[in-house]
Amino acid sequence: MSGAADLARRLAREAEAVCRHYLPQGRRCGRYWIAGDVTGAVGRSLYVRLHGPDYGKGAAGKWTDASTGEYGDLLDLIKGNRQLHDLGDAMDEACRFLSLPGRIPERPRSVLPLLASCDAARRLFNAGRALTGTLAETYLRGRCITAPVDWPALRYHPWVFYRETANSPRQAWPALLAAVTDRGGNITGIQRTWLNPSTAEKAPLVDPRRALGHLLGYGVRFGIADDMLVAGEGIETVLALKSVLPSLPMIAGLSANHLAALELPSSLHRLYIARDNDAAGLTAATRLRQRAGGGIDVRFLIPMYSDFNVDLCQLGAIGLSKHVAGQLAAGDFDRFTAGSIHGSDR
Protein backbone atom coordinates (compact mmCIF):
# COMPACT_ATOMS: atom_id res chain seq x y z
CA MET A 1 0.00 0.00 0.00
CA SER A 2 1.16 3.51 -0.71
CA GLY A 3 0.75 6.90 0.97
CA ALA A 4 0.16 10.15 -0.90
CA ALA A 5 3.80 11.31 -0.80
CA ASP A 6 5.06 7.98 -2.13
CA LEU A 7 2.37 7.91 -4.83
CA ALA A 8 3.29 11.43 -5.93
CA ARG A 9 6.96 10.40 -6.25
CA ARG A 10 6.04 7.29 -8.24
CA LEU A 11 3.85 9.34 -10.55
CA ALA A 12 6.65 11.88 -11.01
CA ARG A 13 8.99 9.14 -12.25
CA GLU A 14 6.38 8.47 -14.97
CA ALA A 15 5.50 12.15 -15.47
CA GLU A 16 5.30 12.11 -19.25
CA ALA A 17 3.17 8.96 -19.28
CA VAL A 18 0.85 10.55 -16.69
CA CYS A 19 0.51 13.68 -18.83
CA ARG A 20 -0.12 11.75 -22.03
CA HIS A 21 -2.86 9.77 -20.27
CA TYR A 22 -4.62 12.55 -18.35
CA LEU A 23 -3.77 15.56 -20.57
CA PRO A 24 -3.82 14.03 -24.08
CA GLN A 25 -4.59 17.34 -25.80
CA GLY A 26 -1.42 18.87 -24.36
CA ARG A 27 2.07 18.62 -25.83
CA ARG A 28 5.65 18.24 -24.77
CA CYS A 29 7.80 21.37 -24.93
CA GLY A 30 11.37 20.76 -23.79
CA ARG A 31 11.34 19.69 -20.14
CA TYR A 32 7.63 20.48 -19.71
CA TRP A 33 4.21 19.20 -20.71
CA ILE A 34 1.94 22.12 -21.63
CA ALA A 35 -1.87 22.14 -21.52
CA GLY A 36 -4.74 24.54 -20.91
CA ASP A 37 -5.68 23.44 -17.37
CA VAL A 38 -5.90 20.36 -15.14
CA THR A 39 -9.04 19.17 -16.96
CA GLY A 40 -6.97 18.73 -20.13
CA ALA A 41 -8.33 21.64 -22.15
CA VAL A 42 -6.32 22.95 -25.10
CA GLY A 43 -4.11 25.87 -24.13
CA ARG A 44 -0.73 26.92 -22.76
CA SER A 45 -1.21 28.09 -19.18
CA LEU A 46 -0.54 24.77 -17.38
CA TYR A 47 3.10 23.66 -17.13
CA VAL A 48 4.09 20.21 -15.81
CA ARG A 49 7.80 19.55 -15.15
CA LEU A 50 8.70 16.20 -16.72
CA HIS A 51 12.23 15.76 -15.33
CA GLY A 52 13.99 16.70 -12.13
CA PRO A 53 14.81 15.50 -8.62
CA ASP A 54 12.35 13.72 -6.33
CA TYR A 55 12.22 16.64 -3.88
CA GLY A 56 12.65 20.37 -3.66
CA LYS A 57 13.05 23.02 -6.30
CA GLY A 58 12.56 21.80 -9.87
CA ALA A 59 11.17 18.42 -8.78
CA ALA A 60 9.64 16.27 -11.50
CA GLY A 61 5.85 16.17 -11.56
CA LYS A 62 5.33 19.65 -10.13
CA TRP A 63 2.89 21.82 -12.08
CA THR A 64 1.67 25.40 -12.11
CA ASP A 65 -1.31 26.97 -13.86
CA ALA A 66 -0.26 30.51 -14.75
CA SER A 67 -3.90 31.41 -15.41
CA THR A 68 -5.40 30.45 -12.04
CA GLY A 69 -2.36 30.46 -9.75
CA GLU A 70 -3.01 26.84 -8.78
CA TYR A 71 -0.11 24.42 -8.38
CA GLY A 72 0.67 20.98 -7.02
CA ASP A 73 2.03 17.53 -7.83
CA LEU A 74 0.70 14.86 -10.14
CA LEU A 75 -1.63 13.49 -7.48
CA ASP A 76 -3.27 16.91 -7.28
CA LEU A 77 -3.44 16.99 -11.07
CA ILE A 78 -5.22 13.62 -11.20
CA LYS A 79 -7.66 14.79 -8.52
CA GLY A 80 -8.56 17.87 -10.58
CA ASN A 81 -8.54 16.07 -13.91
CA ARG A 82 -10.95 13.37 -12.78
CA GLN A 83 -13.08 15.89 -10.85
CA LEU A 84 -12.61 14.00 -7.58
CA HIS A 85 -13.60 15.64 -4.31
CA ASP A 86 -11.57 13.40 -1.99
CA LEU A 87 -7.81 12.82 -1.84
CA GLY A 88 -8.43 9.15 -1.17
CA ASP A 89 -10.29 8.78 -4.46
CA ALA A 90 -7.36 10.43 -6.25
CA MET A 91 -4.99 7.99 -4.57
CA ASP A 92 -7.13 5.07 -5.73
CA GLU A 93 -7.05 6.44 -9.29
CA ALA A 94 -3.26 6.84 -9.09
CA CYS A 95 -2.89 3.27 -7.85
CA ARG A 96 -4.93 2.04 -10.80
CA PHE A 97 -2.75 4.01 -13.21
CA LEU A 98 0.45 2.63 -11.63
CA SER A 99 -1.03 -0.89 -11.31
CA LEU A 100 -0.51 -0.82 -7.53
CA PRO A 101 -2.65 -2.33 -4.73
CA GLY A 102 -4.73 -0.16 -2.36
CA ARG A 103 -3.58 2.94 -0.48
CA ILE A 104 -3.22 4.20 3.09
CA PRO A 105 -5.92 6.80 3.89
CA GLU A 106 -4.46 10.22 4.63
CA ARG A 107 -5.75 13.60 5.69
CA PRO A 108 -6.80 15.90 2.82
CA ARG A 109 -4.26 18.42 1.62
CA SER A 110 -4.49 22.15 2.07
CA VAL A 111 -6.92 24.00 -0.21
CA LEU A 112 -5.26 27.36 0.49
CA PRO A 113 -3.99 27.90 -3.10
CA LEU A 114 -7.53 27.44 -4.48
CA LEU A 115 -9.04 29.68 -1.79
CA ALA A 116 -6.49 32.37 -2.59
CA SER A 117 -7.33 32.28 -6.30
CA CYS A 118 -11.07 32.52 -5.48
CA ASP A 119 -10.41 35.59 -3.33
CA ALA A 120 -8.32 37.15 -6.09
CA ALA A 121 -11.15 36.51 -8.56
CA ARG A 122 -13.68 38.21 -6.31
CA ARG A 123 -11.44 41.23 -5.73
CA LEU A 124 -10.82 41.71 -9.45
CA PHE A 125 -14.49 41.38 -10.35
CA ASN A 126 -15.53 43.83 -7.64
CA ALA A 127 -13.02 46.34 -9.02
CA GLY A 128 -14.76 46.30 -12.42
CA ARG A 129 -17.70 48.40 -13.58
CA ALA A 130 -20.88 47.83 -15.57
CA LEU A 131 -20.43 47.07 -19.28
CA THR A 132 -22.78 49.68 -20.73
CA GLY A 133 -20.84 52.21 -22.80
CA THR A 134 -17.50 50.42 -22.42
CA LEU A 135 -15.09 48.67 -24.78
CA ALA A 136 -16.51 45.36 -23.57
CA GLU A 137 -19.98 46.29 -24.80
CA THR A 138 -18.49 47.34 -28.15
CA TYR A 139 -16.75 43.95 -28.34
CA LEU A 140 -19.99 42.05 -27.74
CA ARG A 141 -21.95 44.20 -30.19
CA GLY A 142 -19.22 43.47 -32.72
CA ARG A 143 -20.06 39.79 -32.24
CA CYS A 144 -23.63 40.56 -33.42
CA ILE A 145 -25.06 40.19 -29.91
CA THR A 146 -28.19 42.32 -29.37
CA ALA A 147 -29.09 41.02 -25.90
CA PRO A 148 -28.68 43.37 -22.94
CA VAL A 149 -25.18 43.47 -21.48
CA ASP A 150 -26.02 44.97 -18.08
CA TRP A 151 -26.07 41.58 -16.36
CA PRO A 152 -24.79 41.27 -12.77
CA ALA A 153 -22.42 38.54 -14.00
CA LEU A 154 -20.56 40.86 -16.42
CA ARG A 155 -18.16 43.71 -15.71
CA TYR A 156 -15.42 45.68 -17.44
CA HIS A 157 -11.98 46.67 -16.18
CA PRO A 158 -9.71 49.02 -18.17
CA TRP A 159 -6.42 47.44 -17.01
CA VAL A 160 -6.04 43.77 -16.13
CA PHE A 161 -2.62 42.18 -15.90
CA TYR A 162 -1.65 39.40 -18.31
CA ARG A 163 1.39 37.12 -18.20
CA GLU A 164 2.00 34.60 -20.99
CA THR A 165 3.91 32.22 -18.70
CA ALA A 166 4.84 32.29 -15.03
CA ASN A 167 8.22 33.86 -15.92
CA SER A 168 7.04 36.29 -18.62
CA PRO A 169 6.84 40.06 -18.02
CA ARG A 170 3.42 41.45 -17.09
CA GLN A 171 1.29 43.33 -19.58
CA ALA A 172 -1.92 45.27 -18.95
CA TRP A 173 -4.96 45.23 -21.25
CA PRO A 174 -8.66 46.12 -20.91
CA ALA A 175 -10.79 43.07 -20.12
CA LEU A 176 -14.33 41.76 -20.09
CA LEU A 177 -14.89 40.06 -16.71
CA ALA A 178 -17.46 37.32 -16.21
CA ALA A 179 -18.30 36.12 -12.70
CA VAL A 180 -18.54 32.36 -12.09
CA THR A 181 -21.00 31.64 -9.29
CA ASP A 182 -22.34 28.66 -7.39
CA ARG A 183 -26.06 27.95 -7.07
CA GLY A 184 -26.23 30.29 -4.09
CA GLY A 185 -24.93 33.20 -6.16
CA ASN A 186 -21.50 33.28 -4.48
CA ILE A 187 -18.60 34.25 -6.75
CA THR A 188 -16.09 31.38 -6.96
CA GLY A 189 -14.10 32.56 -9.98
CA ILE A 190 -14.02 34.74 -13.06
CA GLN A 191 -13.18 34.56 -16.72
CA ARG A 192 -11.06 37.35 -18.18
CA THR A 193 -11.27 38.16 -21.89
CA TRP A 194 -8.54 40.66 -22.75
CA LEU A 195 -9.51 43.22 -25.40
CA ASN A 196 -7.67 45.33 -27.94
CA PRO A 197 -8.73 48.99 -27.53
CA SER A 198 -7.69 49.71 -31.15
CA THR A 199 -9.99 47.10 -32.72
CA ALA A 200 -12.56 46.25 -30.01
CA GLU A 201 -11.70 42.59 -30.63
CA LYS A 202 -9.81 40.11 -28.47
CA ALA A 203 -6.31 41.29 -27.62
CA PRO A 204 -3.43 39.89 -29.73
CA LEU A 205 -2.24 37.51 -27.00
CA VAL A 206 -1.40 33.81 -27.00
CA ASP A 207 -4.27 33.15 -24.57
CA PRO A 208 -6.62 36.17 -24.64
CA ARG A 209 -9.13 34.33 -22.45
CA ARG A 210 -8.31 32.83 -19.06
CA ALA A 211 -10.16 31.76 -15.93
CA LEU A 212 -9.25 32.38 -12.31
CA GLY A 213 -10.61 30.67 -9.21
CA HIS A 214 -12.87 27.65 -8.79
CA LEU A 215 -14.95 26.78 -11.86
CA LEU A 216 -15.78 23.10 -11.52
CA GLY A 217 -19.55 22.64 -11.32
CA TYR A 218 -20.29 26.35 -11.59
CA GLY A 219 -20.83 28.87 -14.40
CA VAL A 220 -21.67 32.39 -15.55
CA ARG A 221 -25.40 32.89 -14.98
CA PHE A 222 -27.84 34.93 -17.07
CA GLY A 223 -31.16 34.76 -15.25
CA ILE A 224 -32.38 32.63 -12.35
CA ALA A 225 -33.17 29.06 -13.33
CA ASP A 226 -36.28 27.36 -12.02
CA ASP A 227 -37.84 24.67 -14.21
CA MET A 228 -36.01 25.55 -17.46
CA LEU A 229 -32.36 26.22 -18.28
CA VAL A 230 -30.07 26.53 -21.29
CA ALA A 231 -26.47 25.47 -20.65
CA GLY A 232 -23.75 26.38 -23.15
CA GLU A 233 -19.98 26.71 -23.31
CA GLY A 234 -18.93 30.28 -24.07
CA ILE A 235 -20.31 33.63 -22.96
CA GLU A 236 -20.78 34.75 -26.56
CA THR A 237 -22.67 31.55 -27.39
CA VAL A 238 -25.07 32.04 -24.50
CA LEU A 239 -25.57 35.76 -25.18
CA ALA A 240 -26.28 34.95 -28.84
CA LEU A 241 -29.12 32.71 -27.68
CA LYS A 242 -30.20 35.38 -25.20
CA SER A 243 -30.58 37.68 -28.20
CA VAL A 244 -33.42 35.50 -29.52
CA LEU A 245 -34.69 33.85 -26.30
CA PRO A 246 -34.53 36.79 -23.90
CA SER A 247 -36.59 35.33 -21.05
CA LEU A 248 -35.02 31.87 -20.88
CA PRO A 249 -32.45 31.51 -18.03
CA MET A 250 -29.02 30.44 -19.25
CA ILE A 251 -25.59 29.51 -17.92
CA ALA A 252 -22.16 29.44 -19.59
CA GLY A 253 -19.80 26.71 -18.40
CA LEU A 254 -16.83 28.44 -20.15
CA SER A 255 -15.36 25.23 -21.63
CA ALA A 256 -16.51 21.84 -22.84
CA ASN A 257 -15.09 20.09 -19.77
CA HIS A 258 -16.73 22.50 -17.36
CA LEU A 259 -20.03 22.32 -19.25
CA ALA A 260 -20.03 18.57 -18.67
CA ALA A 261 -19.52 19.10 -14.92
CA LEU A 262 -22.22 21.73 -14.29
CA GLU A 263 -24.26 21.35 -11.09
CA LEU A 264 -27.94 21.48 -12.03
CA PRO A 265 -30.80 23.00 -10.00
CA SER A 266 -32.92 20.43 -8.17
CA SER A 267 -36.09 22.13 -9.48
CA LEU A 268 -35.11 21.64 -13.13
CA HIS A 269 -37.63 19.92 -15.42
CA ARG A 270 -36.14 20.67 -18.83
CA LEU A 271 -32.51 21.29 -19.79
CA TYR A 272 -31.42 22.55 -23.20
CA ILE A 273 -27.74 21.92 -23.86
CA ALA A 274 -26.47 24.40 -26.46
CA ARG A 275 -23.46 22.44 -27.62
CA ASP A 276 -20.73 23.59 -29.95
CA ASN A 277 -20.66 21.79 -33.29
CA ASP A 278 -17.48 19.77 -32.72
CA ALA A 279 -16.37 16.52 -31.09
CA ALA A 280 -15.60 18.15 -27.74
CA GLY A 281 -19.01 19.82 -27.71
CA LEU A 282 -20.80 16.54 -28.39
CA THR A 283 -18.81 14.73 -25.69
CA ALA A 284 -19.53 17.45 -23.12
CA ALA A 285 -23.24 17.54 -23.96
CA THR A 286 -23.49 13.75 -23.74
CA ARG A 287 -21.76 13.68 -20.35
CA LEU A 288 -24.01 16.42 -18.97
CA ARG A 289 -27.11 14.60 -20.23
CA GLN A 290 -25.95 11.44 -18.50
CA ARG A 291 -25.35 13.32 -15.26
CA ALA A 292 -28.79 14.95 -15.43
CA GLY A 293 -30.43 11.55 -15.06
CA GLY A 294 -33.86 10.41 -16.14
CA GLY A 295 -35.89 12.93 -14.16
CA ILE A 296 -35.01 15.86 -16.44
CA ASP A 297 -36.08 16.31 -20.05
CA VAL A 298 -32.71 16.96 -21.75
CA ARG A 299 -32.57 18.25 -25.32
CA PHE A 300 -29.62 19.29 -27.45
CA LEU A 301 -29.58 22.61 -29.29
CA ILE A 302 -27.28 22.19 -32.29
CA PRO A 303 -25.96 25.20 -34.23
CA MET A 304 -25.90 25.31 -38.01
CA TYR A 305 -22.26 26.46 -37.99
CA SER A 306 -19.55 26.03 -35.35
CA ASP A 307 -21.47 27.65 -32.48
CA PHE A 308 -24.54 29.83 -31.92
CA ASN A 309 -22.61 33.09 -31.98
CA VAL A 310 -21.39 32.26 -35.48
CA ASP A 311 -24.98 31.33 -36.35
CA LEU A 312 -26.20 34.73 -35.14
CA CYS A 313 -23.62 36.55 -37.28
CA GLN A 314 -24.31 34.41 -40.34
CA LEU A 315 -28.08 34.00 -40.11
CA GLY A 316 -29.12 37.16 -38.29
CA ALA A 317 -31.55 37.22 -35.38
CA ILE A 318 -34.55 36.15 -37.47
CA GLY A 319 -32.67 33.27 -39.07
CA LEU A 320 -31.30 32.08 -35.73
CA SER A 321 -34.78 32.32 -34.17
CA LYS A 322 -36.19 30.04 -36.86
CA HIS A 323 -33.30 27.59 -36.51
CA VAL A 324 -33.64 27.40 -32.72
CA ALA A 325 -37.45 27.36 -32.65
CA GLY A 326 -37.50 24.05 -34.50
CA GLN A 327 -35.41 22.44 -31.74
CA LEU A 328 -37.47 23.60 -28.76
CA ALA A 329 -40.31 21.76 -27.08
CA ALA A 330 -43.80 22.86 -28.07
CA GLY A 331 -44.72 26.20 -26.51
CA ASP A 332 -41.22 27.07 -25.23
CA PHE A 333 -40.32 29.44 -28.05
CA ASP A 334 -43.45 31.56 -27.52
CA ARG A 335 -43.04 31.39 -23.74
CA PHE A 336 -39.48 32.70 -23.71
CA THR A 337 -39.71 35.25 -26.50
CA ALA A 338 -42.83 36.96 -25.15
CA GLY A 339 -42.51 40.52 -23.83
CA SER A 340 -39.59 42.88 -23.81
CA ILE A 341 -36.11 41.69 -24.67
CA HIS A 342 -35.04 42.93 -21.25
CA GLY A 343 -37.34 40.43 -19.59
CA SER A 344 -37.74 40.02 -15.85
CA ASP A 345 -35.45 37.06 -15.21
CA ARG A 346 -32.43 38.79 -13.69
Side-chain angles (χ1 to χ4, degrees), residues 295-317:
I296 300 175
D297 177 18
V298 181
R299 304 182 181 217
F300 289 176
L301 299 181
I302 304 172
M304 184 174 295
Y305 296 97
S306 58
D307 61 51
F308 283 105
N309 187 217
V310 176
D311 278 14
L312 179 60
C313 292
Q314 294 292 326
L315 303 174

Side-chain angles (χ1 to χ4, degrees), residues 17-195:
V18 172
C19 291
R20 290 188 180 279
H21 181 76
Y22 292 100
L23 307 172
Q25 296 191 79
R27 62 185 177 86
R28 180 171 179 169
C29 184
R31 298 173 63 85
Y32 295 90
W33 189 268
I34 300 175
D37 56 32
V38 294
T39 69
V42 176
R44 299 181 54 182
S45 65
L46 180 75
Y47 289 75
V48 184
R49 184 177 287 274
L50 299 178
H51 303 287
D54 284 345
Y55 304 95
K57 185 177 181 179
K62 298 294 184 181
W63 58 269
T64 299
D65 190 329
S67 173
T68 66
E70 296 175 273
Y71 58 88
D73 58 30
L74 291 176
L75 194 57
D76 298 310
L77 187 144
I78 288 174
K79 183 172 180 285
N81 181 269
R82 288 297 188 256
Q83 303 172 11
L84 303 172
H85 298 288
D86 181 73
L87 177 61
D89 293 336
M91 293 169 67
D92 287 338
E93 173 66 23
C95 286
R96 284 191 289 270
F97 176 83
L98 295 168
S99 299
L100 296 174
R103 43 84 186 179
I104 301 173
E106 292 197 1
R107 295 174 62 186
R109 299 184 177 192
S110 171
V111 295
L112 290 179
L114 180 58
L115 291 175
S117 66
C118 291
D119 288 340
R122 282 189 284 269
R123 288 196 301 271
L124 178 56
F125 187 77
N126 290 334
R129 63 175 187 259
L131 258 63
T132 303
T134 69
L135 177 66
E137 180 180 18
T138 303
Y139 162 74
L140 292 174
R141 300 305 183 206
R143 299 291 294 265
C144 306
I145 291 165
T146 59
V149 297
D150 56 339
W151 293 96
L154 300 179
R155 288 193 178 180
Y156 169 75
H157 198 293
W159 297 109
V160 176
F161 288 122
Y162 172 87
R163 197 191 298 269
E164 182 175 337
T165 68
N167 299 318
S168 299
R170 289 196 306 181
Q171 306 175 46
W173 294 82
L176 165 64
L177 307 177
V180 176
T181 58
D182 61 19
R183 283 185 290 177
N186 303 300
I187 297 176
T188 64
I190 59 172
Q191 184 186 68
R192 300 153 292 177
T193 301
W194 282 277
L195 304 173

